Amino acid sequence: QMLEATARKLSEIYPENSQKYQENTNEYIAKIKGVNEKIKELSDNLPTLVFADRFPAKYFVKEYNFEYIAAFSGCAEDTDADPATLAKIVDYVNNSKTKYIFTIELSDQKLARTVSESTGAKILTFQSMQNIS
């Protein structure tokens, strides 16, 4: 909807380019739909996502039915993980033989390093695209 609205407005301002704006819009919408389908396919085969950090992906995992476990229910800055949560994540990673855990960009990775050291899981950064690092 945003792409189509942008193309309409640009076409009003620059009518001589209207056809090109519409072609580009249609092409980009097709690419977005392709990515959407690939993500849906992944959700059937992807293991549970483990976030040993803040959790900015709640809407994403819900949209695509990904299973997940997270140290925090959201992105609140004023919350520390309690020992029971840490133990739950470490137990899950060990029992499921999870190879990767996620942090978010600009994280101090303190919790993730603790989980990684306890389990051997590698730390990956989940790019929420809301920060520039």
Side-chain angles (χ1 to χ4, degrees), residues 92-105:
Y92 178 82
V93 171
N94 281 329
N95 292 333
S96 66
K97 298 186 182 354
T98 296
K99 295 179 182 179
Y100 304 100
I101 56 174
F102 289 95
T103 62
I104 60 173
E105 68 271 6

Side-chain angles (χ1 to χ4, degrees), residues 1 3 5 11-12 14 33-34 47 50 54 56 61 64 77-78 80 82 84 95 100 103 107 115 122-123:
Q1 288 175 341
L3 290 169
S11 294
E12 288 174 19
Y14 305 103
K33 286 181 178 179
V50 178
R54 308 282 183 248
V61 297
Y64 294 106
E77 291 287 336
D78 58 351
D80 288 324
D82 60 48
N95 292 333
Y100 304 100
T103 62
S107 169
V115 173
K122 182 178 176 185
I123 300 171

Side-chain angles (χ1 to χ4, degrees), residues 4 8 18 24-27 29 37 44 46 49 63 70 80 90 93-94 99-101 110 128 132:
E4 290 169 346
R8 276 193 306 276
S18 180
N24 289 345
T25 298
N26 292 342
E27 183 180 322
I29 288 171
E37 289 305 312
D44 294 335
L46 196 68
L49 302 175
E63 176 71 24
D80 288 324
V90 168
V93 171
N94 281 329
K99 295 179 182 179
Y100 304 100
I101 56 174
K110 182 179 170 186
S128 65
I132 297 173

Side-chain angles (χ1 to χ4, degrees), residues 22-49:
Q22 194 56 55
E23 289 171 4
N24 289 345
T25 298
N26 292 342
E27 183 180 322
Y28 197 63
I29 288 171
K31 286 181 181 180
I32 291 171
K33 286 181 178 179
V35 169
N36 185 54
E37 289 305 312
K38 286 179 182 177
I39 293 171
K40 285 180 180 179
E41 289 172 17
L42 279 175
S43 69
D44 294 335
N45 302 310
L46 196 68
T48 299
L49 302 175

